[in-house]
């Protein structure tokens, strides 16, 4: 059997491989051979295509990974289309760059990360496609079966890079999705470390017409080496600010709900209250308290050490994203800091805050992109707005957002 997974089916496979849940692919995405489309072949002993023909377990995918949606496959010709509701056959009529697919073994090929990004430009909101770009070029991967709420893999090699996607796009003339993809990739930066960091960076970078703040491509997780005299005085040898705004001395560090493990202090304190004379529990409470305190002190020292190197890094928190108006408030502080310390005119970005109606729409967008249950309803609201043309004229065939984020 030969089968070439495409579009969202390929994206699910890429995520599974990156998350380490594809038992048939142990060597990682980068080691897989680049190839072309294979004509589909029925498994031995089968006379017609059906759901029972395909075992995706080698790629770490259950048949219900995308619910009732068909498995998307690329086919080399009209003759090779599979006549079954289980499958959606995709014929690429325009030429694709060499090596647009990857041989995943077990008789499966999958669309490359670059091709998946380009294809999503035809069916995805620009803001969501930008987040996909940050994921594919970053060191994290969303869950293949539950991209919004599932377990995220961190600290993994990128699937591709901004430069590789741009090079791929330069050879994709005539393919669906190219126009939007060329626009969106300009707002994506390499090396995002988490989904929340990607949301912040995307919103900052995207233009005002996409409800962003118009700051252009940013610099993510760029290690700053301490000056010799700082290192000799006891400072850390290097620090890594999450986001830096090019041409300025200003950046952002994001601290999530879990940045400080306060729950461990509460749990230890409750245990001590039940057994006040237990020295082991008392020591556990002190260790938990000290761990949180050490983290707070390290954060403060990080900001001091970066400031001593000419960088002002403002903290961003989960509350800035989830609280209504919180992110607009943070960005106003970022604009003012840039203007005061770097002398850069932020008048264009300030336009993002000029309209109450636009700020309301942006807040809905932010909530739709976050990893919480309510985000699903906000995402549906965003898609419906797109389809009705309330925000801007857009492709009416926008895919269901929860399949992607």
């Amino acid at each position: 059997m030969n089968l070439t997974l495409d579009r969202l089916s390929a994206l699910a496979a890429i995520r599974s491989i990156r998350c380490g849940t594809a038992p048939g692919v142990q060597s990682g995405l980068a080691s897989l051979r680049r190839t072309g489309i294979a004509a589909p072949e029925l498994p031995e002993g089968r006379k017609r295509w059906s759901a029972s023909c395909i075992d995706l377990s080698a790629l770490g995918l259950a048949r219900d990974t995308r619910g009732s949606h068909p498995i998307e496959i690329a086919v080399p010709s009209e003759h090779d289309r599979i006549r079954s509701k289980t499958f959606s056959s995709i014929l690429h009529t325009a030429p694709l760059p060499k090596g647009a697919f990857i041989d995943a073994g077990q008789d499966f090929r999958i669309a490359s990360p670059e091709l998946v990004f380009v294809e999503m430009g035809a069916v995805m909101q620009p803001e969501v496609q930008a987040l996909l770009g940050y994921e594919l070029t970053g060191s994290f991967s969303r869950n293949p079966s539950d991209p919004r709420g599932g377990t995220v893999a961190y600290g993994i090699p990128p699937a591709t890079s901004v430069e590789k996607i741009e090079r791929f796009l330069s050879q994709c003339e005539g393919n669906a999705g190219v126009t939007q993809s060329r626009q969106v990739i300009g707002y994506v930066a390499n090396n995002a470390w988490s989904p929340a960091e990607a949301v912040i960076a995307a919103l900052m970078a995207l233009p005002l017409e996409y409800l962003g703040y118009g700051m252009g491509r940013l610099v993510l997780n760029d290690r700053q080496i301490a000056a010799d005299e700082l290192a000799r005085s006891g400072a850390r040898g290097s620090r890594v600010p999450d986001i830096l705004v090019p041409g300025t001395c200003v950046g952002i560090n994001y601290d999530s709900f879990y940045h400080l493990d306060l729950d461990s202090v509460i749990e230890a304190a409750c245990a001590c209250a039940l057994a006040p004379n237990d020295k082991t529990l008392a020591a556990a409470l002190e260790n938990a308290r000290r761990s949180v305190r050490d983290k707070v002190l390290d954060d403060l020292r990080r900001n001091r050490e970066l400031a001593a190197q000419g960088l002002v890094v403002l903290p961003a928190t989960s509350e800035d994203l989830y609280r209504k108006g919180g992110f607009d408030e943070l960005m106003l502080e970022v604009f003012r800091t840039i203007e005061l310390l770097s002398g850069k005119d932020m008048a264009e970005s300030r336009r993002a805050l000029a309209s109450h109606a636009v700020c309301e729409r942006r807040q809905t967008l932010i909530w739709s992109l976050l990893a919480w249950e309510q985000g699903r309803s906000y995402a549906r609201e965003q898609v419906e707005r797109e389809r009705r043309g309330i925000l801007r004229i857009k492709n009416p065939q926008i895919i269901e957002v929860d399949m992607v984020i």
Side-chain angles (χ1 to χ4, degrees):
M1 179 192 74
N2 282 321
L3 213 60
T4 304
L5 301 185
D6 205 359
R7 296 187 181 175
L8 288 176
S9 295
L11 176 56
I14 289 170
R15 283 171 166 163
S16 183
I17 293 169
R18 297 187 73 207
C19 290
T21 56
V25 185
Q26 297 297 324
S27 54
L29 198 64
S31 65
L32 300 180
R33 180 176 63 89
R34 292 294 180 119
T35 185
I37 301 173
E41 297 177 1
L42 272 167
E44 188 176 348
R46 295 279 188 162
K47 294 184 178 181
R48 60 174 61 118
W49 290 98
S50 66
S52 61
C53 287
I54 307 303
D55 181 5
L56 297 172
S57 60
L59 298 177
L61 303 177
R63 174 63 190 90
D64 61 353
T65 294
R66 291 189 56 209
S68 60
H69 295 271
I71 299 171
E72 293 168 305
I73 62 165
V75 295
S77 71
E78 187 70 32
H79 171 75
D80 293 307
R81 289 185 182 274
I82 295 178
R83 313 300 176 181
S84 168
K85 292 181 180 180
T86 300
F87 302 92
S88 174
S89 298
I90 298 157
L91 178 61
H92 292 274
T93 56
L96 289 173
K98 184 179 179 181
F101 295 83
I102 296 173
D103 187 345
Q106 312 294 320
D107 294 326
F108 287 109
R109 302 183 187 195
I110 60 175
S112 67
E114 299 83 15
L115 177 55
V116 168
F117 180 84
V118 172
E119 290 179 305
M120 292 301 100
V123 293
M124 191 180 289
Q125 295 161 284
E127 313 86 69
V128 179
Q129 189 187 14
L131 288 191
L132 176 62
Y134 279 98
E135 177 186 353
L136 294 174
T137 64
S139 60
F140 72 93
S141 177
R142 295 178 184 271
N143 188 284
S145 58
D146 184 8
R148 182 184 294 276
T151 302
V152 176
Y154 296 100
I156 59 177
T160 184
S161 68
V162 168
E163 294 75 21
K164 288 179 181 177
I165 293 174
E166 289 176 332
R167 190 159 56 248
F168 191 92
L169 278 164
S170 71
Q171 304 171 55
C172 271
E173 206 64 50
N175 283 277
V178 166
T179 300
Q180 177 175 294
S181 297
R182 284 176 175 163
Q183 296 171 344
V184 170
I185 196 61
Y187 307 111
V188 176
N190 291 320
N191 206 27
W193 284 7
S194 73
E197 181 183 292
V199 170
I200 292 172
L203 289 166
M204 291 175 67
L206 286 165
L208 273 60
E209 58 265 32
Y210 292 159
L211 298 178
Y213 297 94
M215 302 177 75
R217 183 178 288 161
L218 305 167
V219 176
L220 304 188
N221 298 298
D222 185 40
R223 187 170 295 278
Q224 306 294 308
I225 307 301
D228 287 345
E229 63 174 337
L230 289 175
R232 288 195 300 269
S233 73
R236 286 266 292 270
S238 63
R239 294 287 188 176
V240 184
D242 294 344
I243 298 171
L244 292 174
V245 181
T248 78
C249 62
V250 179
I252 284 180
N253 267 322
Y254 174 71
D255 296 337
S256 73
F257 288 124
Y258 310 105
H259 183 67
L260 299 177
D261 188 10
L262 298 176
D263 287 346
S264 65
V265 179
I266 296 171
E267 291 171 6
C270 290
C272 280
L274 295 173
N277 297 321
D278 190 320
K279 293 183 179 180
T280 301
L281 292 177
L285 173 59
E286 175 57 23
N287 288 338
R289 187 196 67 81
R290 172 49 59 186
S291 177
V292 170
R293 178 61 178 166
D294 286 346
K295 182 61 177 171
V296 171
L297 291 174
D298 186 63
D299 289 345
L300 295 173
R301 291 184 181 121
R302 173 199 65 198
N303 291 345
R304 286 195 334 226
E305 291 165 12
L306 289 172
Q309 297 188 75
L311 295 174
V312 177
V313 179
L314 306 180
T317 68
S318 297
E319 287 76 7
D320 292 322
L321 293 173
Y322 286 90
R323 179 172 59 84
K324 185 175 182 179
F327 200 65
D328 283 344
E329 180 183 317
L330 169 66
M331 292 310 301
L332 177 59
E333 293 164 352
V334 170
F335 299 157
R336 285 182 55 83
T337 304
I338 290 174
E339 289 170 338
L340 291 171
L341 299 183
S342 294
K344 185 176 180 179
D345 184 3
M346 299 302 294
E348 181 64 19
S349 291
R350 281 175 173 271
R351 287 180 52 227
L353 307 176
S355 166
H356 176 74
V358 170
C359 290
E360 289 279 342
R361 291 175 180 174
R362 182 184 300 110
Q363 186 63 69
T364 300
L365 171 64
I366 293 171
W367 284 334
S368 77
L369 301 176
L370 298 176
W372 61 332
E373 188 58 35
Q374 295 94 316
R376 301 182 196 277
S377 61
Y378 287 115
R380 286 191 290 270
E381 181 179 335
Q382 283 294 112
V383 170
E384 284 306 310
R385 280 181 170 175
E386 291 282 0
R387 286 174 174 155
R388 295 196 308 267
I390 291 177
L391 293 182
R392 55 184 177 272
I393 297 174
K394 192 70 175 70
N395 188 334
Q397 303 302 316
I398 296 172
I399 59 176
E400 186 178 334
V401 178
D402 273 335
M403 293 178 185
V404 185
I405 62 168

